[in-house]
Amino acid sequence: MPLWTPPASCLDRAHLTQYRAWLANRPGLGVPDAALQPDAEGYEALLRWSVADVDRFWQSLWRYFDVIAHTPATRIRSGGPEDGGVGPGTRWFEGATLNYAEHSFRHQNSKHPALIFQSERGAAAGSAPVEVSWDDLTAAVAAFQGFLRSEGIGPGDRVAAYLPNVPQAVVAFLATASLGAVWSCCSPDFGVRTVIDRFAQIEPTLLIATDGYTYGGKPFDRSAEVAELRAALPSVRQTVFLPYLDLDAPTPPPVNEMGAIRWADALAAHRTDAPPTFEPVPFDHPLWVLYSSGTTGKPKAITHSHGGALLEHLKYLAFHNDTHPGERFFWFTTTGWMMWNVLQASLLLGGVPVLYDGSPGHPDLGALWRLAGALPIHHFGTSAPYLTACMKQDLRPGDITDLSALRSLGSTGAPLPAEAFDWVYDAVSPDVWLCSMSGGTDVCTAFVGGCPGKPVHRGRIQGRALGVALASWGDDGEPVGEGLGEMVVTEPMPSMPVFFWGDADDARYRAAYFETYPGVWRHGDFIELFDDGSLVIHGRSDATLNRRGVRIGTAELYAVLDGLGFLQDSLVLNLERPDGTDVMPLFVVMAEGETLTDERIAEIKRTLRQECSPRHVPDVVVAVPDVPYTLSGKKMEVPVKKLLLGLDTGTALNKDATRNPAAVEHFAQMANSFRGTYLAES
């Protein structure tokens, strides 16, 4: 029995229904009649057409959403791997020029605000959420655009931001994109070393930074980090300083000496009655740079295009989240997660992004639900661990606030356990559409997620998104009929990266996704597909750490741990429990003469928190005699993870490829006791 079946009222007004009606009047697109039916089988037929006739599908979206093109495309797609698969080199809508930001202003309407903002501090003080009108947003974007122009910022220049999830971040992004400059942002809870590893790769011309942030009722001053960050980025010509933690905070003196202006002064000097203008750029012109987790070295600077992000966000937010004009769209995120980019993208459909800065658990886990009821919020997005935490606290959001306006509940960042599905329909609302989804920074969207025409089944994601040729493959490169397989994508998508910044020959790009199956995108998730098109994701198949919905890389932790003289070596993992929670153990090899004491553990955790972020702090620190390495000198993270999750030594790894087999034996011997202590349901 499904937990939710789409009501007729949902289907009648759904964007997907309107798109089908539009397709029905265009027989030249070759859409089969079965794909035009509104039921679950009709969706699967539409999906098959969208990946079998890739060019005509994406061309149909261009026309359906009436993309503003300053010059038309001369062809839909060209290039790509020699074998015709997926990979660097694919070019979309060549000849077309457009601007992502221009589309964010298409739905200006005095009937509803452009943005809504609430902070943890504001809520604690009893302040109402701040509504930013369209007039105010337009004026702020035009003013900041004028400031950027005065600083010589133009197409291709990089603007880096170290900002919390506040309206100023949206203003700065839209102004940057409007000029064809390239946006990149990190959250201020990132340690300065983590930020430098990212921004230094793109050599930004301008830096926007804040004095700090609040989380869990505590202020965190980042003024010293801003000064260190500015000193480490010689390409920066000007810094814009945004006081946020303290509105009267002075610009850090070292930053002033290198050139700085306060946010309010930058806007005041360029106020204008004229609206912002938009620089037409090629479809594949860089829009923003996001960053990978950094598992195998410095984070990859993943670069997405104006056109690719535009088409993908229009598609996903319309057809898979069904966002309509005036509806309030919320996702709990920081600016360092790709869901921030998706949050502001709700403007493309006329949605009202609801920004929140602070902890989702302060003063208690009911804070965000109370906000959802008060505004009200129509689309509420969060992470699977947050929903699981609410479930474990026996929280009943539907009892503490009025959630009758809530249409969809989005979940991503980690697999959502089946028990959490039950909790949603019992404790949140029996009528809400639960959109469990999964995608990534790599494409800044979801590969799989919601479908307004399909039922929701316990523990399962509804289906694959349109235009995503997703399959489950075995190690032999053949589709998996039953059981777990590697998630792969066999046809290109416009939102796949145009390149990694600084990766001139695409070597890192190819290594990231195409080494296992040439010409086929391997994403690194274990998935299980079902006959009705629904699926389950069983976690990461690689060594990336998935911490509270945010992927981080082991290399970032090792870079810090290597600086601690009392440690000889280390190995960090993230292990999923059966109930959907996870535990991150750090295994350390102590330097000669050193012992792992409580004081040393506290120092390790404190250093990781300061140098990286709270998410980098392990749940448990365990001393081991050695860390296993491959013959080529790589830490064996994935094999050790498999051992601790219960696979036998022969299945988890190839001993012949191990430089120090005794280290493997130690982990094999401790696996059972480790699982009993740390991997039982919390």
Side-chain angles (χ1 to χ4, degrees):
M1 285 289 294
L3 296 174
W4 178 85
T5 301
S9 58
C10 173
L11 288 175
D12 289 345
R13 71 185 295 257
H15 284 291
L16 196 56
T17 300
Q18 297 170 23
Y19 175 58
R20 280 195 172 103
W22 184 88
L23 290 173
N25 291 321
R26 287 158 180 82
L29 290 173
V31 182
D33 290 342
L36 302 177
Q37 303 306 309
D39 56 10
E41 291 184 3
Y43 177 79
E44 293 302 311
L46 185 61
L47 172 65
R48 288 192 294 272
W49 169 76
S50 74
V51 297
D53 201 344
V54 173
D55 292 4
R56 283 203 282 189
F57 168 69
W58 290 104
Q59 182 186 34
S60 77
L61 297 192
W62 181 280
R63 295 167 58 191
Y64 177 74
F65 289 112
D66 191 22
V67 169
I68 303 171
H70 294 261
T71 55
T74 56
R75 61 192 305 181
I76 305 303
R77 178 172 55 123
S78 66
E82 293 180 1
D83 59 5
V86 185
T90 302
R91 295 290 176 264
W92 293 90
F93 294 92
E94 291 178 282
T97 57
L98 44 68
N99 189 288
Y100 181 101
E102 185 170 10
H103 294 76
S104 299
F105 288 85
R106 296 182 87 177
H107 296 277
Q108 296 185 52
N109 192 321
S110 60
K111 295 179 181 178
H112 59 77
L115 305 171
I116 298 176
F117 170 65
Q118 180 61 293
S119 69
E120 168 188 301
R121 284 187 297 161
S127 301
V130 176
E131 293 191 355
V132 179
S133 70
W134 270 108
D135 285 346
D136 288 345
L137 179 64
T138 301
V141 171
F144 200 69
Q145 182 188 73
F147 165 74
L148 292 176
R149 280 203 182 102
S150 74
E151 293 295 325
I153 302 296
D157 291 324
R158 277 77 68 202
V159 173
Y162 189 54
L163 294 174
N165 186 15
V166 294
Q168 291 90 335
V170 178
V171 169
F173 160 68
L174 290 173
T176 298
S178 72
L179 295 175
V182 184
W183 172 258
S184 193
C185 193
C186 286
S187 173
D189 67 343
F190 281 24
V192 67
R193 181 195 300 244
T194 303
V195 180
I196 292 170
D197 282 348
R198 287 157 168 76
F199 288 167
Q201 296 184 62
I202 66 170
E203 299 180 306
T205 300
L206 186 133
L207 174 68
I208 311 167
T210 188
D211 62 327
Y213 66 99
T214 302
Y215 193 88
K218 299 178 181 179
F220 293 87
D221 189 331
R222 308 303 276 174
S223 298
E225 284 77 5
V226 171
E228 187 177 348
L229 177 60
R230 174 64 184 86
L233 298 173
S235 61
V236 172
R237 299 197 303 259
Q238 176 68 289
T239 300
V240 180
F241 184 70
L242 173 67
Y244 174 64
L245 188 65
D246 175 6
L247 297 181
D248 297 318
T251 304
V255 176
N256 255 340
E257 293 171 7
M258 291 179 278
I261 185 172
R262 296 171 77 83
W263 173 271
D265 294 337
L267 265 64
H270 295 87
R271 289 289 182 188
T272 175
D273 293 331
T277 58
F278 303 96
E279 177 72 23
V281 294
F283 185 95
D284 62 357
H285 184 81
L287 171 65
W288 53 52
V289 179
L290 307 180
Y291 300 93
S292 71
S293 55
T295 300
T296 56
K298 286 189 177 181
K300 301 174 185 69
I302 301 172
T303 307
H304 295 117
S305 68
H306 273 251
L310 175 65
L311 279 184
E312 179 57 45
H313 287 167
L314 285 169
K315 180 207 76 175
Y316 195 88
L317 287 164
F319 300 155
H320 302 286
N321 224 125
D322 201 40
T323 305
H324 289 265
E327 291 185 334
R328 295 178 171 95
F329 186 94
F330 168 79
W331 209 286
F332 179 77
T333 180
T334 70
T335 57
W337 188 21
M338 50 81 56
M339 289 310 301
W340 181 86
N341 303 70
V342 175
L343 171 62
Q344 61 78 28
S346 60
L347 290 168
L348 300 172
L349 273 300
V352 182
V354 178
L355 317 178
Y356 187 85
D357 178 58
S359 167
H362 183 79
D364 56 67
L365 286 172
L368 297 182
W369 298 109
R370 290 191 291 272
L371 179 66
L375 283 178
I377 288 171
H378 303 94
H379 302 280
F380 183 104
T382 185
S383 67
Y386 173 75
L387 295 177
T388 302
C390 291
M391 176 184 70
K392 290 188 174 185
Q393 282 201 6
D394 294 325
L395 187 68
R396 298 188 63 82
D399 293 344
I400 66 174
T401 189
D402 180 7
L403 296 176
S404 58
L406 185 63
R407 291 189 56 219
S408 75
L409 176 58
S411 171
T412 192
L416 186 65
E419 295 79 7
F421 279 70
D422 298 333
W423 173 81
V424 164
Y425 284 99
D426 176 56
V428 179
S429 169
D431 302 318
V432 72
W433 170 28
L434 178 54
C435 300
S436 181
M437 58 184 280
S438 181
T441 300
D442 319 84
V443 287
C444 200
T445 186
F447 293 112
V448 297
C451 174
K454 296 185 67 175
V456 173
H457 291 282
R458 184 177 188 267
R460 297 187 187 180
I461 295 173
Q462 283 181 287
R464 290 165 277 192
L466 295 178
V468 182
L470 183 144
S472 175
W473 280 17
D475 292 340
D476 57 0
E478 294 295 328
V480 175
E482 296 182 0
L484 305 185
E486 287 275 1
M487 180 185 134
V488 300
V489 180
T490 60
E491 293 289 343
M493 299 165 54
S495 65
M496 287 175 174
V498 284
F499 50 76
F500 291 171
W501 202 277
D503 182 27
D505 58 358
D506 289 327
R508 294 192 79 195
Y509 190 170
R510 295 180 190 279
Y513 312 114
F514 306 110
E515 276 192 341
T516 304
Y517 310 110
V520 171
W521 177 292
R522 172 189 171 273
H523 194 60
D525 281 336
F526 279 131
I527 65 168
E528 183 176 7
L529 297 173
F530 298 93
D531 290 342
D532 64 354
S534 64
L535 66 142
V536 173
I537 294 182
H538 292 272
R540 298 294 295 168
S541 62
D542 59 17
T544 302
L545 308 176
N546 196 332
R547 287 291 276 173
R548 302 167 195 159
V550 177
R551 292 177 183 174
I552 61 177
T554 57
E556 296 185 11
L557 284 87
Y558 297 146
V560 174
L561 296 171
D562 287 346
L564 298 177
F566 57 87
L567 294 183
Q568 178 179 313
D569 206 351
S570 59
L571 182 79
V572 65
L573 305 171
N574 202 67
L575 306 172
E576 297 82 18
R577 294 189 179 105
D579 65 353
T581 61
D582 56 70
V583 60
M584 190 171 93
L586 171 64
F587 301 98
V588 296
V589 181
M590 303 303 295
E592 186 174 353
E594 292 283 350
T595 303
L596 185 63
T597 62
D598 289 344
E599 290 75 16
R600 289 303 196 197
I601 292 174
E603 185 174 355
I604 289 169
K605 291 185 175 182
R606 182 174 62 252
T607 303
L608 286 170
R609 181 183 297 274
Q610 292 174 346
E611 294 290 331
C612 296
S613 81
R615 292 186 180 88
H616 291 72
V617 177
D619 297 307
V620 59
V621 183
V622 179
V624 294
D626 201 2
V627 168
Y629 281 84
T630 66
L631 294 175
S632 60
K634 295 181 180 179
K635 294 183 184 186
M636 302 182 71
E637 295 161 321
V638 173
V640 172
K641 176 176 180 176
K642 291 180 179 179
L643 282 176
L644 296 180
L645 289 175
L647 274 70
D648 61 55
T649 307
T651 303
L653 54 84
N654 177 5
K655 282 189 177 181
D656 292 337
T658 306
R659 188 176 71 186
N660 47 346
V664 175
E665 288 301 326
H666 177 83
F667 279 94
Q669 291 169 11
M670 68 180 289
N672 287 335
S673 61
F674 185 90
R675 282 197 302 279
T677 303
Y678 299 111
L679 295 186
E681 294 192 1
S682 60

